[in-house]
Amino acid sequence: MGRVADKRYTLGIMVTELHKAGIRLIDNISGEASEHFAEFTDGEWRQLNDYLSHVADLHSTQFLIKGEGVQLNFAWNQGSNPQWRAKAPPVDDVLAFLHRLRPLILQEEPACFQKVRAVLKRRLKDAPIHPFMGWLLEVYEGKEMQKMISIQSNNCIVNSEKMLFTWLNAYEYHREREKQELLESYSKIMPTEWSRGVFLTLLVEKGKAISNLGALVEVVLGKRNALSLSV
């Protein structure tokens, strides 16, 4: 029987650089300041920088530059048909806005809002910013909007995270026929353009949360001196 050749290995040390960051919080009531430090891996640091790049792309869209937003009006008097009115920015502006949102709101994207928020929440766990992070999530998921108005149809909350992604997958990011049929059933109650305005409003709310998280990322990366938070 022949001899099995010896296996030889070259050993090496893999060094991962840790990026240190610190934030300084000032209590606006007492004036007391506290400093908090955190370390981020190379991957996380790159993730934060990529997030800011996506946010900058989003802010460059005419949809946000013009700041016209979406106008929704509903009027109903007993004995008459409901009046639905919706006014949105030009289609091209909306499409550019939706395109720039993709890497920020699709959860499989490496630098999306949810993943970056989770990184900051984990690394800054000792900093008293949990109320702020919780508020960001409520705004992002449309729950702040639901506190002001809850739009329901067929026992379903229309202005919700679930229905928003149903619309995106039905008409914008994909063309899923099953989801199109579901949304078409709602058009018997409210006009398609009006429900589209509702979903665009939810995306404006996401943009608000995304921008506020971006401000915190800027502080961590040393690109902003301070951030005023109500915590």
Side-chain angles (χ1 to χ4, degrees):
M1 178 180 286
R3 180 184 176 190
V4 178
D6 293 335
K7 293 183 179 180
R8 297 184 178 183
Y9 299 92
T10 299
L11 300 179
I13 300 175
M14 185 175 66
V15 179
T16 301
E17 181 182 356
L18 291 178
H19 299 266
K20 296 182 179 181
I23 63 172
R24 189 167 184 261
L25 298 177
I26 300 177
D27 188 319
N28 291 329
I29 297 177
S30 67
E32 294 181 0
S34 60
E35 294 182 343
H36 305 270
F37 298 91
E39 292 184 341
F40 298 85
T41 65
D42 279 340
E44 292 169 341
W45 202 250
R46 184 166 55 253
Q47 193 177 24
L48 297 180
N49 278 283
D50 288 346
Y51 181 83
L52 280 191
S53 178
H54 297 328
V55 172
D57 288 341
L58 183 66
H59 287 169
S60 70
T61 62
Q62 291 300 307
F63 187 98
L64 291 184
I65 291 173
K66 294 176 182 177
E68 296 173 351
V70 181
Q71 298 177 25
L72 296 172
N73 292 289
F74 171 76
W76 177 76
N77 294 314
Q78 190 172 0
S80 63
N81 293 325
Q83 299 295 316
W84 308 82
R85 294 186 181 86
K87 183 180 178 181
V91 173
D92 287 346
D93 291 354
V94 171
L95 292 178
F97 176 66
L98 290 171
H99 176 67
R100 296 298 192 185
L101 273 173
R102 285 183 69 108
L104 290 161
I105 67 174
L106 298 183
Q107 293 192 23
E108 63 269 22
E109 293 290 335
C112 68
F113 171 89
Q114 294 280 28
K115 290 179 180 177
V116 169
R117 176 183 171 275
V119 167
L120 291 177
K121 188 177 179 182
R122 182 173 66 253
R123 295 302 185 185
L124 296 172
K125 61 181 182 298
D126 296 328
I129 60 172
H130 303 295
F132 173 70
M133 301 299 272
W135 172 78
L136 281 181
L137 187 60
E138 288 202 343
V139 173
Y140 182 83
E141 294 182 341
K143 294 178 181 178
E144 281 289 305
M145 179 183 176
Q146 289 176 19
K147 290 177 182 179
M148 296 183 287
I149 179 172
S150 178
I151 304 168
Q152 299 190 29
S153 179
N154 293 346
N155 297 319
C156 178
I157 300 177
V158 177
N159 57 325
S160 65
E161 183 85 342
K162 178 181 178 180
M163 290 303 296
L164 170 62
F165 276 92
T166 297
W167 174 71
L168 287 172
N169 290 324
Y171 295 111
E172 302 300 335
Y173 293 161
H174 301 286
R175 293 290 188 273
E176 298 182 21
R177 185 57 195 164
E178 182 180 348
K179 290 181 171 59
Q180 290 178 7
E181 291 174 353
L182 173 63
L183 292 173
E184 286 168 4
S185 68
Y186 292 114
S187 66
K188 300 174 183 178
I189 302 172
M190 65 181 69
T192 302
E193 280 303 304
W194 204 86
S195 59
R196 177 175 179 269
V198 171
F199 297 133
L200 287 177
T201 301
L202 284 170
L203 289 177
V204 170
E205 287 291 284
K206 284 192 181 300
K208 177 181 175 182
I210 286 168
S211 296
N212 277 279
L213 183 64
L216 178 57
V217 172
E218 287 179 336
V219 173
V220 171
L221 295 179
K223 299 179 183 294
R224 176 190 287 248
N225 292 329
L227 175 63
S228 179
L229 304 179
S230 297
V231 297

Coordinates of all heavy atoms in Angstrom, one line a residue, residues 91-133:
V91 N -45.4 61.5 -12.4 CA -45.1 60.0 -12.4 C -43.6 59.8 -12.4 O -43.1 58.9 -11.7 CB -45.7 59.3 -13.6 CG1 -45.3 57.9 -13.7 CG2 -47.2 59.4 -13.5
D92 N -42.8 60.5 -13.3 CA -41.4 60.3 -13.3 C -40.7 60.6 -12.0 O -39.7 59.9 -11.6 CB -40.8 61.1 -14.4 CG -41.1 60.6 -15.8 OD1 -41.6 59.5 -15.9 OD2 -40.9 61.4 -16.8
D93 N -41.2 61.6 -11.3 CA -40.6 61.9 -10.0 C -40.9 60.8 -9.0 O -40.0 60.4 -8.2 CB -41.2 63.2 -9.4 CG -40.7 64.4 -10.2 OD1 -39.9 64.3 -11.1 OD2 -41.2 65.5 -9.9
V94 N -42.1 60.2 -9.1 CA -42.5 59.1 -8.2 C -41.6 57.9 -8.5 O -41.1 57.2 -7.6 CB -44.0 58.8 -8.3 CG1 -44.3 57.5 -7.5 CG2 -44.8 59.9 -7.8
L95 N -41.4 57.6 -9.8 CA -40.7 56.4 -10.1 C -39.2 56.5 -9.7 O -38.6 55.5 -9.2 CB -40.8 56.2 -11.6 CG -42.1 55.8 -12.2 CD1 -42.1 55.7 -13.7 CD2 -42.6 54.5 -11.6
A96 N -38.6 57.7 -9.8 CA -37.3 57.9 -9.4 C -37.2 57.7 -7.8 O -36.2 57.1 -7.3 CB -36.8 59.2 -9.8
F97 N -38.1 58.2 -7.1 CA -38.2 58.1 -5.7 C -38.3 56.6 -5.3 O -37.6 56.1 -4.4 CB -39.4 58.9 -5.2 CG -39.7 58.8 -3.7 CD1 -38.8 59.3 -2.8 CD2 -40.8 58.2 -3.2 CE1 -39.0 59.2 -1.4 CE2 -41.1 58.1 -1.8 CZ -40.2 58.6 -0.9
L98 N -39.2 55.9 -5.9 CA -39.3 54.4 -5.6 C -38.0 53.7 -5.9 O -37.7 52.8 -5.2 CB -40.5 53.9 -6.5 CG -41.9 54.3 -6.1 CD1 -42.9 53.8 -7.2 CD2 -42.3 53.8 -4.7
H99 N -37.4 54.0 -7.0 CA -36.1 53.4 -7.4 C -35.0 53.6 -6.3 O -34.3 52.7 -5.9 CB -35.6 53.9 -8.7 CG -34.3 53.3 -9.1 ND1 -34.1 52.0 -9.4 CD2 -33.1 53.9 -9.3 CE1 -32.9 51.7 -9.7 NE2 -32.2 52.9 -9.6
R100 N -34.9 54.8 -5.8 CA -33.9 55.2 -4.8 C -34.2 54.6 -3.5 O -33.3 54.4 -2.6 CB -33.8 56.7 -4.7 CG -33.3 57.4 -6.0 CD -31.9 57.0 -6.4 NE -31.3 57.8 -7.4 CZ -30.2 57.6 -8.0 NH1 -29.4 56.5 -7.7 NH2 -29.7 58.4 -8.9
L101 N -35.5 54.2 -3.2 CA -35.9 53.6 -2.0 C -35.5 52.2 -1.9 O -35.4 51.6 -0.8 CB -37.4 53.8 -1.8 CG -37.9 55.0 -1.1 CD1 -39.4 55.1 -1.1 CD2 -37.4 55.2 0.3
R102 N -35.4 51.5 -3.0 CA -35.2 50.0 -3.1 C -34.1 49.5 -2.1 O -34.4 48.7 -1.3 CB -34.9 49.6 -4.5 CG -36.1 49.5 -5.4 CD -35.7 49.0 -6.8 NE -35.4 47.5 -6.7 CZ -36.2 46.6 -7.1 NH1 -37.3 46.9 -7.7 NH2 -35.9 45.3 -7.0
P103 N -32.9 50.1 -2.2 CA -31.8 49.5 -1.3 C -32.0 49.9 0.2 O -31.3 49.3 1.0 CB -30.5 50.2 -1.8 CG -31.0 51.4 -2.5 CD -32.3 51.1 -3.1
L104 N -33.0 50.8 0.4 CA -33.2 51.2 1.8 C -34.4 50.5 2.5 O -34.4 50.4 3.7 CB -33.5 52.7 1.9 CG -32.2 53.6 1.6 CD1 -32.7 55.0 1.2 CD2 -31.3 53.6 2.8
I105 N -35.3 50.0 1.7 CA -36.5 49.3 2.3 C -36.7 47.9 2.0 O -37.4 47.2 2.7 CB -37.8 50.1 1.9 CG1 -38.1 49.9 0.4 CG2 -37.7 51.5 2.2 CD1 -39.4 50.4 -0.1
L106 N -35.9 47.3 1.0 CA -36.0 45.9 0.8 C -35.1 45.2 1.8 O -33.9 45.4 1.8 CB -35.6 45.6 -0.7 CG -36.5 46.2 -1.7 CD1 -36.1 45.7 -3.1 CD2 -38.0 45.8 -1.5
Q107 N -35.6 44.2 2.5 CA -34.9 43.7 3.7 C -33.7 42.8 3.3 O -32.8 42.5 4.1 CB -35.8 42.9 4.6 CG -36.8 43.8 5.3 CD -37.6 43.1 6.4 OE1 -37.1 42.1 6.9 NE2 -38.8 43.7 6.7
E108 N -33.7 42.3 2.0 CA -32.5 41.5 1.6 C -31.3 42.4 1.2 O -30.2 41.9 1.0 CB -32.9 40.6 0.4 CG -33.3 41.3 -0.9 CD -34.8 41.6 -0.9 OE1 -35.5 41.6 0.1 OE2 -35.3 41.8 -2.0
E109 N -31.5 43.7 1.1 CA -30.4 44.6 0.8 C -29.5 44.7 2.0 O -30.0 44.9 3.1 CB -31.0 46.0 0.4 CG -31.7 45.9 -0.9 CD -30.8 45.7 -2.1 OE1 -29.6 46.0 -2.0 OE2 -31.3 45.2 -3.2
P110 N -28.2 44.8 1.8 CA -27.2 44.8 2.9 C -27.2 46.0 3.8 O -26.9 46.0 4.9 CB -25.9 44.6 2.2 CG -26.1 45.1 0.8 CD -27.5 44.7 0.5
A111 N -27.6 47.2 3.2 CA -27.6 48.4 3.9 C -29.0 49.0 4.0 O -29.2 50.3 3.9 CB -26.6 49.4 3.3
C112 N -30.0 48.2 4.2 CA -31.4 48.7 4.3 C -31.6 49.3 5.7 O -30.8 49.1 6.6 CB -32.4 47.6 4.1 SG -32.4 46.3 5.3
F113 N -32.7 50.0 5.9 CA -33.0 50.7 7.1 C -33.0 49.7 8.3 O -32.4 50.0 9.4 CB -34.4 51.4 7.0 CG -34.9 51.9 8.3 CD1 -34.6 53.2 8.7 CD2 -35.8 51.2 9.1 CE1 -35.1 53.7 9.9 CE2 -36.3 51.7 10.3 CZ -35.9 53.0 10.7
Q114 N -33.7 48.6 8.1 CA -33.9 47.7 9.2 C -32.6 47.1 9.7 O -32.3 47.0 10.9 CB -34.8 46.5 8.8 CG -36.2 46.9 8.5 CD -37.1 47.1 9.8 OE1 -36.5 47.4 10.8 NE2 -38.4 46.9 9.7
K115 N -31.7 46.8 8.8 CA -30.4 46.2 9.2 C -29.5 47.2 9.9 O -28.8 47.0 10.8 CB -29.7 45.6 8.0 CG -30.4 44.3 7.5 CD -29.7 43.7 6.3 CE -30.4 42.5 5.8 NZ -29.7 41.9 4.6
V116 N -29.4 48.4 9.3 CA -28.6 49.5 9.9 C -29.1 49.9 11.2 O -28.3 50.1 12.2 CB -28.5 50.7 8.9 CG1 -27.9 51.9 9.6 CG2 -27.7 50.3 7.7
R117 N -30.4 50.0 11.4 CA -31.0 50.3 12.7 C -30.6 49.3 13.7 O -30.3 49.6 14.9 CB -32.5 50.4 12.6 CG -33.2 50.7 13.9 CD -34.7 50.7 13.8 NE -35.4 50.7 15.1 CZ -35.7 49.6 15.8 NH1 -35.3 48.4 15.3 NH2 -36.3 49.7 16.9
A118 N -30.6 48.0 13.3 CA -30.3 46.9 14.2 C -28.8 47.0 14.6 O -28.5 46.7 15.8 CB -30.6 45.5 13.5
V119 N -28.0 47.3 13.7 CA -26.5 47.4 14.0 C -26.3 48.5 15.1 O -25.6 48.4 16.1 CB -25.7 47.7 12.8 CG1 -24.3 48.2 13.1 CG2 -25.6 46.5 11.9
L120 N -26.9 49.7 14.8 CA -26.8 50.8 15.8 C -27.4 50.5 17.1 O -26.8 50.9 18.2 CB -27.4 52.1 15.2 CG -26.7 52.7 13.9 CD1 -27.4 53.9 13.4 CD2 -25.2 53.1 14.3
K121 N -28.5 49.9 17.1 CA -29.2 49.5 18.4 C -28.3 48.6 19.2 O -28.2 48.7 20.4 CB -30.5 48.9 18.1 CG -31.4 48.7 19.3 CD -32.8 48.2 19.0 CE -33.6 47.9 20.2 NZ -34.9 47.4 19.9
R122 N -27.7 47.7 18.5 CA -26.8 46.7 19.2 C -25.5 47.3 19.7 O -25.1 47.1 20.8 CB -26.5 45.5 18.2 CG -25.7 44.4 18.8 CD -25.6 43.2 17.9 NE -24.8 43.5 16.7 CZ -25.3 43.6 15.5 NH1 -26.6 43.5 15.4 NH2 -24.6 43.9 14.5
R123 N -24.9 48.1 18.8 CA -23.6 48.7 19.2 C -23.7 49.8 20.2 O -22.8 50.1 21.0 CB -22.9 49.1 17.9 CG -22.5 48.0 17.0 CD -21.6 47.0 17.6 NE -21.1 46.0 16.7 CZ -20.4 44.9 17.0 NH1 -20.1 44.7 18.3 NH2 -20.0 44.1 16.1
L124 N -24.8 50.5 20.2 CA -25.0 51.6 21.1 C -26.0 51.3 22.2 O -26.8 52.1 22.7 CB -25.5 52.9 20.3 CG -24.6 53.4 19.2 CD1 -25.3 54.5 18.4 CD2 -23.3 54.0 19.9
K125 N -26.0 50.0 22.6 CA -27.0 49.5 23.5 C -26.9 50.2 24.9 O -27.9 50.3 25.6 CB -26.8 48.0 23.7 CG -25.5 47.5 24.3 CD -25.5 46.0 24.4 CE -24.2 45.5 25.0 NZ -23.0 45.9 24.2
D126 N -25.7 50.8 25.2 CA -25.6 51.5 26.5 C -26.0 52.9 26.5 O -26.1 53.6 27.5 CB -24.1 51.3 27.0 CG -23.8 49.9 27.3 OD1 -24.7 49.1 27.7 OD2 -22.6 49.5 27.1
A127 N -26.2 53.4 25.3 CA -26.6 54.9 25.1 C -28.1 55.0 25.3 O -28.9 54.1 24.8 CB -26.2 55.4 23.8
P128 N -28.6 56.0 26.0 CA -30.1 56.1 26.2 C -30.8 56.6 25.0 O -31.5 57.7 25.0 CB -30.1 57.1 27.4 CG -28.9 58.0 27.2 CD -27.9 57.1 26.7
I129 N -30.7 55.9 23.9 CA -31.4 56.3 22.7 C -32.5 55.4 22.3 O -33.1 55.4 21.2 CB -30.4 56.5 21.5 CG1 -29.8 55.1 21.2 CG2 -29.4 57.5 21.8 CD1 -28.9 55.1 20.0
H130 N -32.9 54.5 23.2 CA -33.9 53.5 22.8 C -35.3 54.1 22.5 O -35.9 53.6 21.5 CB -34.0 52.5 24.0 CG -32.7 51.8 24.3 ND1 -32.1 50.9 23.5 CD2 -32.0 51.9 25.5 CE1 -31.0 50.5 24.0 NE2 -30.9 51.1 25.2
P131 N -35.7 55.1 23.2 CA -37.0 55.7 22.8 C -36.9 56.3 21.3 O -37.9 56.1 20.6 CB -37.2 56.8 23.8 CG -36.5 56.4 25.0 CD -35.2 55.7 24.4
F132 N -35.8 56.9 21.0 CA -35.6 57.4 19.6 C -35.7 56.3 18.6 O -36.3 56.4 17.6 CB -34.3 58.1 19.6 CG -33.9 58.6 18.2 CD1 -34.6 59.6 17.5 CD2 -32.9 58.0 17.5 CE1 -34.3 60.0 16.3 CE2 -32.5 58.4 16.2 CZ -33.2 59.5 15.6
M133 N -35.0 55.2 18.9 CA -34.9 54.1 18.0 C -36.3 53.4 17.8 O -36.7 53.0 16.7 CB -33.9 53.0 18.4 CG -32.5 53.5 18.6 SD -31.8 54.1 17.0 CE -31.1 52.6 16.3

